[in-house]
Amino acid sequence: MEVKVFGDQHDLDSYAASLIVHTVKDKTNPVLGLATGSTPIGIYRALVEDFRQGTISFRGVTTYNLDEYVGLPPVHSQSYAYYMKQHLFQHIDIDPSNINIPNGMADDLSGECRRYDSLLEGRPIDLQLLGIGHNGHIGFNEPGDTLTGGTHVVELKEATRRANARFFTSYNDVPKLALTMGVGSILKARKIVLCVRGSDKAQIVKEALTGPITTACPASLLQTHANVIVLLDRDAGKEWIDHVNGVEMAH
């Protein structure tokens, strides 16, 4: 596991974007796993700028998003389909038929999970972008006694819903269910890039990277993966820095 701590948010975004650019350029038909939330916005902004400058084309890229809320149509301003369109897809030259996002409006949610898993089995992810929740969730894989390997319906924890309430009019408007790619599917990606910002994430970062590997902290399972790059801002990395000597500081 490679860990880099950045003193500047722009530098973190640029570095993460450069990893994605290199993947797209190195692969004939690259497959990207994409995340949502506040953390990747600057990364997507950097990728859009790279596209505008002619540094990269997304014509041959296939994408898979980690998750989607159940019950929010793609046109809803807080759906992840809408988020991806606003922050990335409408600004680049990706083929819309190569965009894959779980359908939270499906009549048969179990069937939708099976459909998504069949797509993932056919096209392994070259680079998976991840964030981490305050309780250690990745995607919407919440802490528990066990974790599901494939795409599944998850009941969101109160802590997760409260953390996401800032994007909605009120806490009560936050959906209670979501579809999420499973931890097993995430760990099949050839490379994983975990990006974390903010002092409120410092303790969970330390637990995920240095604590026991346990389903009580789903992100701790990333320790089992052979190719993980962790990008932290200084606030998110402060507990990690205190715990580990010789961490590489990025500039």
Side-chain angles (χ1 to χ4, degrees), residues 10-72:
H10 179 266
D11 291 342
L12 191 160
D13 292 337
S14 296
Y15 189 86
S18 72
L19 294 175
I20 295 172
V21 168
H22 289 152
T23 297
V24 170
K25 288 185 172 182
D26 288 347
K27 302 289 183 179
T28 303
N29 294 295
V31 181
L32 302 176
L34 301 180
T36 52
S38 56
T39 298
I41 290 176
I43 299 169
Y44 295 146
R45 188 182 300 120
L47 288 173
V48 170
E49 184 60 27
D50 286 333
F51 167 71
R52 287 174 176 165
Q53 292 182 0
T55 305
I56 185 175
S57 170
F58 292 86
R59 280 194 295 270
V61 174
T62 297
T63 65
Y64 291 96
N65 263 74
L66 281 167
D67 41 33
E68 179 61 282
Y69 288 116
V70 169
L72 295 190

Side-chain angles (χ1 to χ4, degrees), residues 112-183:
E112 172 61 11
C113 292
R114 292 191 296 272
R115 182 192 73 85
Y116 209 65
D117 279 342
S118 68
L119 293 175
L120 289 166
E121 288 171 6
R123 295 293 303 277
I125 292 171
D126 294 304
L127 184 151
Q128 175 67 59
L129 186 64
L130 285 182
I132 184 175
H134 293 90
N135 60 5
H137 73 244
I138 48 176
F140 271 135
N141 292 281
E142 298 279 26
D145 295 332
T146 60
L147 292 175
T148 303
T151 305
H152 58 286
V153 181
V154 61
E155 183 174 350
L156 300 178
K157 300 283 189 183
E158 180 181 353
T160 299
R161 294 182 66 224
R162 291 203 178 279
N164 289 352
R166 68 189 188 277
F167 301 116
F168 291 81
T169 304
S170 73
Y171 168 78
N172 290 331
D173 293 327
V174 183
K176 296 180 179 180
L177 300 177
L179 298 178
T180 186
M181 192 187 299
V183 173

Side-chain angles (χ1 to χ4, degrees), residues 3 34 53 71 74 109-110 121 133 157 198 207 227 247:
V3 180
L34 301 180
Q53 292 182 0
L109 294 177
S110 295
E121 288 171 6
K157 300 283 189 183
E207 291 178 23
N227 190 6
V247 64

Side-chain angles (χ1 to χ4, degrees), residues 88-99:
L88 184 63
F89 294 149
Q90 71 177 356
H91 306 291
I92 60 176
D93 60 345
I94 191 168
D95 184 341
S97 67
N98 289 340
I99 296 170

